[in-house]
Structures are given as structure tokens and as C-alpha cells.
Amino acid sequence: RAPLSCARSLTGLPSSRQIAAGRPCPAAARTGGLHDAMRQDGVGRWVSGFAGQRRAVLVDGFAVRPAVHDGVACREFFLTHFHSDHYWGLRSSFAGGTIYCSPITAALVASQLHVEKDRLVVLEAGRRHTLPDVGLVVTPLDANHCPGAVMFLFEPLPEQPYAIGLHTGDFRAAAVLTDAVRDALGARGLARLDRLWMDTTYALPPGKWRLPPQDDVLRGVAAWCRARAASHPGTLFVVGMYAIGKERVLEAVAEGAGDVEVTPATDERAAMLTQCGYARLLGGAGAAPARVVAAGLREVSRPEVLEGFLTGPHGAGATSVVGFHCSGWRLRRDQVPVLPDRHAAIEQTQPACLSLDDDTAVPKFPTWMSTSGRATVVQVPYSEHSSWDELLSFVAATKPKELVPTVAQDAAARRRIVDALRGPQQTSLHRFVAPRQHSGACLDDTGDGDVVVIEPPTAPASARPPRNSDVIVIDGGDDGVIDLVSDEGSEPERKRRRQG
């Protein structure tokens, strides 16, 4: 029985010095550099304008400066998940209010960033939570992203005029997630969202990033590893991972290589897997001799780097090594790879279908394999962000009146995204709301931060909002709000809405 070992490098975890300074890891700083201005200005971060809402709240907005909306300092912060480009600006000395998040995210914020636990309020997914001091009802929904990632569904208090908005954070809008959101709307007697703050990582250029479904990729990876382990028993498998994220790929590789026993190389990796709900990978037994290593993405970036595992502590008895570099950006279609000079040692780079030729039940999808000596890097188009087709399906299913792209370089990019995502039934020009100048001084660092979470009473059927209620237009205080309403409806419909 071969152990599933973990490399020492926990790519994505900030150092103690970075934690003290409130900065994310270098890798996250590089990938998040495109959105620095959006973080600081609050684009796609502010949630405000609901009837009865007493003050605005921020979602993943710890870097917003000043954290002041209409002269009132923000005291409620919602964190969708524990990736550094979303908790950017959060320090161990945080004393500016309360952080609302999932149980897994709360555990990671406390253990990795050393934020006081009294500042954290855990919200269980799928349950409505009333925040009376803020004037909002919040329901976390699973985001199908990394462990602990949630979306936040915002509603006003029951006695207020109704509106509903969804902030996705980062999400992968697979069919099961889209169905869950549609069911949540249906349970409230609704057919559409009033506002949608949506992760648009793969929205530009429109239509390019059409990724294969996650389940297809995972089944294909497991089948390929099963065949490789059978034909090359001495193969060492290495999976490139974030600090959190890509655990499902790790599971697929371990399944294909055979049941393995996990032996983390560091206590940090063991703690992360445990806190993220993957403690089951830390034990177990099986008959397959293949070994699997969980490493950082850099360790599987190039074959010549990957080959170092054969001479390292995890390479004993291994005759070859296969590394999986999984990202949606790995997707290539009808392109010839251009290798930089530093890759001159690579003997073979070729497109392939990661599948078994004799197994038609296994999904086939485009991937790339780069081989140098005894090392092969497999670049797999697996992502935990929504592909273009999934974004289209999600917008079609939720029919948002307003859409706020949360990943875009500037206002022009946000316009392009919304123009591309609008369905053919929405033919009118969109309305782009200019940013409001937020007033006020610096964020007040005082306060008790002990907001009570109370389950709201079940509203009677007569109090539930009508399916097509013409509710408030949510405040356009955050830049990038784009109106998707195609028309105002017929005259009888407008009269009914006014009377309602």
C-alpha cells in the first residue's frame, strides 16, 4: 500500500509575515492584480438599497477604502470563501465589525489568518438568517467552488417591500447548482432575481471558454489514471493544487490509482484537508501500488520540474511521474503550442483526449501532454469557475433584472459581458449606472460585532411576493450595475403593479 504524500509547498497559503501585513500570497497577488481597482473601489462588493436596510454591507470587500457608504461605515462583511483574492485586506487585527461566512471558511479564517473568533458568525448553507440590526435576511447557498464556498441570497425583512439579490462570489454554475437556485426562487414564489452579482471569470472573450463539465473531467481523469497504473505500475502521480481547491481532482486521481493511504508531509496540509472536510483522505487502505502526491501548481508546471519528484523523498521505487495541472485556462482547441526556449528539453508536446480508447463510456475532452524524459505533465481543462455555456444557462434560468459582473477589467468590459449574456428575448438597451461617490471618513474600528443570528418566521402564503412583482430597483451605489429588463410590460400589467 503506497502512501498519498503531500509536498511541502502549500501554494496559496500566506506566510506569517504576509498575514501580519494583511497581504495575500504572491501567487494570488499576481492572479488578482487585474482586479485591484475593483477591490478598492467596491465594484461588485457593496450590497445596498433593499427596503428597510439600515446600512450597506460588503461581500469580499476587505480591501475597499474607505469602507463607507452614504456616510455610514460598513460593519457587516460577508466572505464567500477562503481564497486570498477574496479575503484580500483582512488582517489578524480586524476589529471593524462582523464577518459572516460558512463553517469551513470561519475555521480557516481563525486558524490561518488568526482573526478573533468573536468576529466570526457562522451561517449554515440553505437556512435563512435574519440580521435585524442590518435589516436583511441572508441565505447562503453552495457555490460549487472550493471547500466552504457559498453564494449569498439577500432579501429584506418580511414586513418590507420585496426584492431579492444573489451574490455568487466565485462559483461553478453546473446544472445542479442552477437547479438549486431556481428551486430557491420557486420556494419564494419567484421566477427571477432582481439583481445578480455574478462571477464572470470566463466571460471574455464571449464564447471562447467552453469547458467540459466537471463530472466528465473527473471521470476521465480517474479512468486514465486507472489505465496508467495498470500499464505502468511504477508511476508516481502528482496533483497540482491550491491551498484549498482541486480536492476533487485529487480524489479522482487517488481513485484511479487505487485506494491509498494519505501521509501528509506537513501538519499544515493535514490540517487544511481536515478543516476542508477531506479527513477521509488521511486514512484508508487499498491494494494498488501507485502513489499519489498532492503538490502546488508550480511543481507540475513543466516536465523538467516535475521530474525532480523521482529523486525526492516521494520517488522511491517510482520509474516515471505524471503531473496534473488543472485549470480552465489549460483548455486549447485547434491551436498549435508554441514552446518558449526554456522548454527546449521537452521531447514531445501533443494534444490528446484524456480517455481510454476502448471505453466509450468514459468522457473525452481536449487536453495537452508534455513529456520530457520520465516526466509527463497533463494539462486538464478542469475549473471551479463557470464556463461560458454555464454562465449563459444561469442567466437564462435566473432572469436577473440587473447584472453586476464581478470579474472585469473596466466598465467597457462589463458592458461587453452583459451584452453577450443578454438573451434574445431581452432586446432593449441596457442601462449602465455610473458609480456613486461614497462619502464619509475612514472606517470606524470600534464596535461590539455581536450581531445575533435569528431564524425568521415562516411567512404566510398571502405575504409571499408575487412571481413578477415590480419591486425596488436596488441601489446603484456599486459601479457596474446594468439593467437587463427588456420592457415595462403591458399597460394592464403596469397598472396591476402600481396597485399592488
Side-chain angles (χ1 to χ4, degrees):
R1 297 183 178 92
L4 174 62
S5 302
C6 297
R8 292 183 180 275
S9 173
L10 294 182
T11 300
L13 277 181
S15 68
S16 58
R17 181 177 299 177
Q18 291 163 345
I19 290 173
R23 300 194 307 270
C25 65
R30 287 193 302 274
T31 58
L34 180 65
H35 313 300
D36 286 348
M38 294 179 67
R39 286 195 203 93
Q40 295 170 3
D41 295 342
V43 175
R45 312 292 179 181
W46 285 108
V47 174
S48 63
F50 287 90
Q53 185 176 352
R54 293 176 174 84
R55 55 183 173 268
V57 303
L58 280 167
V59 178
D60 299 338
F62 299 97
V64 174
R65 294 293 183 271
V68 176
H69 190 282
D70 286 345
V72 180
C74 179
R75 307 209 52 76
E76 287 78 27
F77 298 80
F78 291 81
L79 180 58
T80 59
H81 63 290
F82 192 73
H83 277 164
S84 56
D85 57 329
H86 289 256
Y87 64 72
W88 183 295
L90 179 58
R91 296 173 169 84
S92 59
S93 59
F94 174 82
T98 304
I99 301 172
Y100 297 91
C101 54
S102 70
I104 289 177
T105 301
L108 293 171
V109 169
S111 64
Q112 302 298 323
L113 301 183
H114 309 295
V115 173
E116 293 181 3
K117 293 182 179 180
D118 291 344
R119 294 290 174 184
L120 302 170
V121 173
V122 171
L123 303 180
E124 295 290 343
R127 298 180 60 189
R128 288 184 174 183
H129 304 268
T130 298
L131 309 181
D133 290 347
V134 186
L136 286 176
V137 177
V138 183
T139 305
L141 302 173
D142 180 66
N144 190 31
H145 185 57
C146 67
V150 294
M151 307 180 291
F152 290 114
L153 194 64
F154 292 100
E155 304 167 86
L157 296 178
E159 66 274 11
Q160 298 292 337
Y162 195 78
I164 188 167
L166 177 68
H167 199 299
T168 68
D170 285 348
F171 80 138
R172 180 76 192 254
V176 63
L177 180 144
T178 300
D179 289 343
V181 174
R182 187 188 291 112
D183 291 344
L185 291 174
R188 292 160 171 80
L190 301 171
R192 69 186 308 182
L193 291 167
D194 290 292
R195 177 177 287 188
L196 172 62
W197 297 264
M198 188 171 72
D199 168 25
T200 48
T201 296
Y202 288 116
L204 292 179
K208 177 178 181 180
W209 301 104
R210 299 178 182 273
L211 308 178
Q214 283 178 312
D215 289 343
D216 287 358
V217 175
L218 295 175
R219 287 192 292 130
V221 166
W224 192 90
C225 291
R226 191 175 300 114
R228 173 78 185 200
S231 61
H232 299 77
T235 299
L236 174 67
F237 296 97
V238 181
V239 180
M241 301 175 62
Y242 300 132
I244 64 170
K246 316 295 184 183
E247 289 84 2
R248 281 173 280 187
V249 178
L250 181 64
E251 281 191 304
V253 173
E255 175 190 344
D259 293 331
V260 294
E261 184 178 275
V262 178
T263 307
T266 65
D267 293 338
E268 289 84 355
R269 176 65 75 179
M272 293 294 284
L273 287 172
T274 300
Q275 289 180 319
C276 291
Y278 286 85
R280 62 186 180 277
L281 294 182
L282 300 178
R291 294 174 297 181
V292 180
V293 177
L297 289 175
R298 291 182 181 179
E299 282 79 3
V300 296
S301 59
R302 304 195 306 272
E304 55 267 35
V305 175
L306 180 66
E307 196 166 9
F309 278 94
L310 295 176
T311 57
H314 309 300
T319 57
S320 63
V321 58
V322 173
F324 289 91
H325 192 293
C326 301
S327 171
W329 307 117
R330 301 297 104 187
L331 181 64
R332 299 289 186 271
R333 291 180 183 274
D334 301 323
Q335 297 180 12
V336 177
V338 178
L339 301 179
D341 292 340
R342 69 176 184 272
H343 287 192
I346 296 180
E347 298 173 359
Q348 179 184 10
T349 301
Q350 61 181 15
C353 283
L354 193 62
S355 176
L356 301 179
D357 294 337
D358 58 349
D359 188 350
T360 57
V362 176
K364 295 179 172 62
F365 51 88
T367 187
W368 288 79
M369 298 184 186
S370 302
T371 300
S372 176
R374 296 184 293 165
T376 299
V377 172
V378 181
Q379 297 183 352
V380 180
Y382 173 89
S383 179
E384 292 168 341
H385 293 270
S386 302
S387 71
W388 172 252
D389 294 322
E390 290 165 335
L391 291 176
L392 284 174
S393 297
F394 191 77
V395 169
T398 58
K399 306 177 182 66
K401 295 180 181 178
E402 294 178 352
L403 173 61
V404 184
T406 60
V407 181
Q409 188 170 8
D410 51 29
R414 289 190 290 276
R415 290 189 184 98
R416 285 187 63 200
I417 290 171
V418 173
D419 283 340
L421 287 173
R422 286 188 305 166
Q425 75 280 6
Q426 295 168 318
T427 57
S428 66
L429 294 176
H430 64 259
R431 175 176 59 85
F432 185 80
V433 180
R436 174 186 300 179
Q437 296 299 322
H438 301 303
S439 58
C442 296
L443 176 64
D444 180 9
D445 287 334
T446 62
D448 51 23
D450 56 349
V451 177
V452 180
V453 180
I454 304 174
E455 280 296 314
T458 302
S462 60
R464 293 175 184 170
R467 294 183 64 86
N468 293 307
S469 176
D470 188 17
V471 296
I472 62 170
V473 175
I474 304 177
D475 172 54
D478 47 356
D479 186 14
V481 178
I482 298 175
D483 188 3
L484 292 185
V485 181
S486 58
D487 58 16
E488 294 294 329
S490 62
E491 179 58 30
E493 176 69 5
R494 291 197 297 270
K495 184 179 298 184
R496 182 191 65 78
R497 291 176 178 178
R498 287 196 298 270
Q499 293 173 350

